[in-house]
Amino acid sequence: MAARPRSELNPATTAPDVAPDLTAADLAVVTARGITRAFGDTTVLDGVDLRIRRGEVVALLGASGSGKSTLLRVLAGLDSGADGEVRTSGRTAVVFQEHRLLPWKRVADNIALGLRGPDLARRTSAALAGVGLADRGRAWPAELSGGQAQRVALARALVREPDILLLDEPFAALDALNRLRMQALFFRLRGEHDFAALLVTHDVNEALLLADRLLVLEDGRIAEDTPVPLPHPRTQDDPGFGALRRHLLTRLRVPLVPDRS
Amino acid sequence: MTATPVRAPRTGRERTRPQQRSRPARATRWRRIITPLLVVVLWEGASRAGILPPDKLSAPSDVLAAGWRLAADGTLWHNLLDSLVRAVIGLAIGGGLGLALGSVAGLLRLGDDLVDPPVQMARMLPHLGLVPLLLIWVGIGEPLKISLVALGAFFPVYLNTYGGIRGIDERLVEAARTCGLSAAARLRHVVLPGALPSLFLGLRLAFGAGWLSLVVGEQVNADSGLGFMMMEAREFAQTDVVVLGLLIYALLGLLSDLALRTAEGRALAWRRGLEAS
Ligand SMILES: Nc1ncnc2c1ncn2[C@@H]1O[C@H](COP(=O)(O)OP(=O)(O)OP(=O)(O)O)[C@@H](O)[C@H]1O
Ligand SMILES: [Mg+2]
């Protein structure tokens, strides 16, 4: 779909994929190679390679300012200043940290934005019901709470039946309880719709609860690519959860116990 | 509201609070017309007592009588009609140009570079100061009045169109893009409604400036219109007709503002929710 020809591919990293791994390549919904992005003199992304398979939930972690949002915007096709190759197959939808609903459209019209088709009303109300807001279709976005607005944003993305859902810290602005609810909702919707997702998050627990694979962005590259082999549904006291969490926090250079400095 | 110090709860006071807040809206509204009424009564009294000579300022009752007389013989209506036609044509030209150029400057970078600097410079000129120049250019006929109204209306519409488009949250445009909206659809669903509050503000300012320009234009030189009616009355020291003209100008301004506010309230219903929260 949004394939941009790339002149200087790095043959060392791409060559092994090509012949023996054709099936995996077919299954990829997003393939990114050699993504670079600089703002002025600072290079934020320095050759990011990334692949997300059909139906896979991938969490993207990294320090603040490491370029997670920048990468997500490149993958969403919102950044024309980046170099590299992005190939997505199928539909893409995005959920941002802020809900970004149009204040002058009612909730249902926000969800239906840009959609066409005969059964639009039915699809819209089904998407609203899916996020537990069946009765709020006529409301204005300003009349919703933060958590409700974010659920509408999720519905607006899912009504497009995306093959890949890009989420940039979608639950970060919510309070702790709402965030837990949203994570549960995300897990349920993921089971119903079977989309692949790239979930940018600061929350290591969230990443471990939801993701099949964890990526850590560091120095402009994917510095770590770890599968999460825990069975679903997960809880924080599953065996193995703590060990992965400690590993990840160390990787992100977060002290494991609060220090007094 | 005014800052209330946090104290131990005093039930009596708490109970009166909400009432106090809602009262000005209803029960005490009549208080607001006391002073205007008083002014009119004093004015009338001063005229009757001979303190205000009629060749300086007519009594309110004489103004009403003059209104009745001019309405009956048709003078008022044909002057009013001429003024309204000038206002509508001038507003349409000035407002239309302001909308078009403001959109070009707000939407296109090239338009911004080419259109905005000269407009920003021209806006520093007091447009009513252009009367001598306009007299030379277009003479004293209809084009003078229409140009003045158009000039008065152009700048507020241009500035608020430009500002409204520029002020749109880029993140909303981006979200609309991820929803698959084409550039034209983004214009219709994001840019236009986003700029609408600002557009309405520009329109209201344009109406005000348009009326003002019309008053000036019609008093410079005209053979019809409200301003002409007032200047002609001045020659015969008919202060009742002069005051009548002023009242009608005020009434027209009030009515146009009211109409615009009503339209605004309809079009911007979504903002009510915003204000409440
Ligand atoms: N439009 C821009 N212009 C200039 N610099 C930018 C721009 N967008 C991002 N940057 C810079 O790129 C770097 C990465 O930003 P980005 O928003 O991708 O970080 P992030 O990993 O998402 O951080 P956070 O976790 O805090 O959201 C930052 O140093 C930021 O200052
Ligand atoms: Mg970010």
Side-chain angles (χ1 to χ4, degrees), chain B residues 129-248:
Chain B
L130 291 177
V131 167
L133 210 53
L134 283 174
L135 277 171
I136 295 171
W137 288 348
V138 300
I140 56 171
E142 285 308 280
L144 173 70
K145 290 114 200 164
I146 292 174
S147 316
L148 275 178
V149 176
L151 273 174
F154 171 79
F155 289 100
V157 172
Y158 171 87
L159 291 173
N160 284 285
T161 306
Y162 179 75
I165 293 176
R166 281 305 161 108
I168 285 170
D169 191 343
E170 194 56 40
R171 295 174 306 174
L172 293 181
V173 182
E174 201 168 68
R177 250 175 84 189
T178 67
C179 289
L181 265 68
S182 66
R186 293 200 294 274
L187 212 59
R188 175 160 130 52
H189 293 289
V190 187
V191 178
L192 181 67
L196 210 53
S198 189
L199 276 178
F200 268 111
L201 175 63
L203 219 51
R204 273 168 64 187
L205 294 172
F207 273 34
W211 286 125
L212 180 68
S213 312
L214 191 66
V215 175
V216 172
E218 288 186 339
Q219 292 186 356
V220 167
N221 197 318
D223 46 20
S224 70
L226 287 174
F228 162 75
M229 192 179 85
M230 289 163 70
M231 289 310 274
E232 196 189 39
R234 180 195 60 99
E235 287 182 26
F236 303 107
Q238 292 173 329
T239 53
D240 50 354
V241 177
V242 176
V243 175
L244 179 72
L246 282 175
L247 282 182
I248 291 175

Side-chain angles (χ1 to χ4, degrees), chain B residues 17-227:
Chain B
R17 221 103 274 255
Q19 281 177 6
Q20 275 175 359
R21 201 173 298 164
S22 61
R23 246 162 67 192
R26 285 277 160 84
T28 63
R29 198 181 240 172
W30 60 271
R31 283 202 304 221
R32 301 177 61 82
I33 62 165
I34 292 180
T35 345
L37 267 182
L38 203 65
V39 169
V40 172
V41 167
L42 283 177
W43 175 8
E44 180 78 35
S47 297
R48 295 268 167 103
I51 303 171
L52 275 179
D55 57 337
K56 298 287 182 226
L57 191 64
S58 299
S61 53
D62 290 341
V63 174
L64 282 182
W68 187 255
R69 177 165 44 84
L70 294 178
D73 71 7
T75 321
L76 180 61
W77 304 123
H78 95 82
N79 281 318
L80 182 62
L81 185 69
D82 280 359
S83 289
L84 279 177
V85 167
R86 288 171 191 148
V88 168
I89 297 179
L91 281 170
I93 295 176
L97 272 177
L99 191 67
L101 289 182
S103 307
V104 166
L107 291 171
L108 308 172
R109 187 161 299 160
L110 183 68
D112 189 17
D113 291 342
L114 296 184
V115 174
D116 198 49
V119 174
Q120 294 291 346
M121 278 190 266
R123 133 183 126 93
M124 294 303 158
L125 301 171
H127 75 278
L128 293 178
L130 291 177
V131 167
L133 210 53
L134 283 174
L135 277 171
I136 295 171
W137 288 348
V138 300
I140 56 171
E142 285 308 280
L144 173 70
K145 290 114 200 164
I146 292 174
S147 316
L148 275 178
V149 176
L151 273 174
F154 171 79
F155 289 100
V157 172
Y158 171 87
L159 291 173
N160 284 285
T161 306
Y162 179 75
I165 293 176
R166 281 305 161 108
I168 285 170
D169 191 343
E170 194 56 40
R171 295 174 306 174
L172 293 181
V173 182
E174 201 168 68
R177 250 175 84 189
T178 67
C179 289
L181 265 68
S182 66
R186 293 200 294 274
L187 212 59
R188 175 160 130 52
H189 293 289
V190 187
V191 178
L192 181 67
L196 210 53
S198 189
L199 276 178
F200 268 111
L201 175 63
L203 219 51
R204 273 168 64 187
L205 294 172
F207 273 34
W211 286 125
L212 180 68
S213 312
L214 191 66
V215 175
V216 172
E218 288 186 339
Q219 292 186 356
V220 167
N221 197 318
D223 46 20
S224 70
L226 287 174

Side-chain angles (χ1 to χ4, degrees), chain A:
Chain A
M1 207 175 95
R4 216 174 310 129
R6 165 81 170 145
S7 46
E8 15 163 346
L9 286 176
N10 185 347
T13 56
T14 55
D17 286 3
V18 179
D21 209 12
L22 257 179
T23 47
D26 283 344
L27 285 172
V29 280
V30 179
T31 316
R33 287 209 186 97
I35 305 292
T36 58
R37 179 61 161 117
F39 295 104
D41 290 339
T42 47
T43 302
V44 175
L45 300 178
D46 187 15
V48 171
D49 298 321
L50 177 85
R51 202 167 72 202
I52 300 173
R53 283 181 285 276
R54 188 159 292 282
E56 184 185 33
V57 177
V58 177
L60 179 63
L61 296 140
S64 185
S66 56
K68 303 183 294 295
S69 298
T70 306
L71 177 59
L72 185 121
R73 289 170 46 82
V74 173
L75 298 180
L78 292 172
D79 189 347
S80 53
D83 274 320
E85 183 191 15
V86 178
R87 195 170 291 155
T88 53
S89 69
R91 284 180 292 266
T92 307
V94 188
V95 179
F96 299 93
Q97 179 168 352
E98 334 81 50
H99 56 73
R100 298 200 187 184
L101 301 174
L102 299 177
W104 43 82
K105 284 192 184 291
R106 293 182 192 272
V107 162
D109 297 330
N110 258 292
I111 291 179
L113 191 69
L115 292 181
R116 255 177 248 127
D119 57 347
L120 200 54
R122 189 197 53 75
R123 283 167 65 196
T124 306
S125 53
L128 260 179
V131 297
L133 292 171
D135 53 341
R136 299 313 303 272
R138 295 279 301 155
W140 298 109
E143 296 169 344
L144 303 177
S145 72
Q148 289 173 333
Q150 202 59 356
R151 278 191 274 165
V152 173
L154 198 54
R156 177 175 68 178
L158 290 179
V159 77
R160 278 141 235 283
E161 291 163 13
D163 297 288
I164 171 75
L165 186 58
L166 303 169
L167 307 104
D168 192 356
E169 304 192 34
F171 316 135
L174 306 178
D175 64 81
L177 288 178
N178 255 318
R179 196 175 319 146
L180 291 178
R181 286 196 195 100
M182 287 295 278
Q183 288 162 1
L185 176 68
F186 177 87
F187 180 72
R188 177 167 67 70
L189 291 170
R190 166 71 190 71
E192 289 167 11
H193 294 265
D194 206 39
F195 47 81
L198 180 70
L199 175 68
V200 171
T201 178
H202 269 131
D203 185 341
V204 170
N205 286 335
E206 180 173 294
L208 287 171
L209 282 174
L210 298 175
D212 304 316
R213 193 150 62 90
L214 305 172
L215 304 178
V216 176
L217 189 61
E218 195 179 61
D219 298 328
R221 288 166 175 271
I222 303 292
E224 166 120 9
D225 185 341
T226 319
V228 185
L230 306 173
H232 281 293
R234 300 172 185 158
T235 61
Q236 295 193 23
D237 34 63
D238 284 345
F241 196 99
L244 265 169
R245 185 167 179 278
R246 272 192 299 280
H247 167 74
L248 216 55
L249 287 174
T250 316
R251 196 69 193 70
L252 293 165
R253 300 187 222 293
V254 180
L256 292 179
V257 286
D259 65 4
R260 286 175 214 283
S261 59

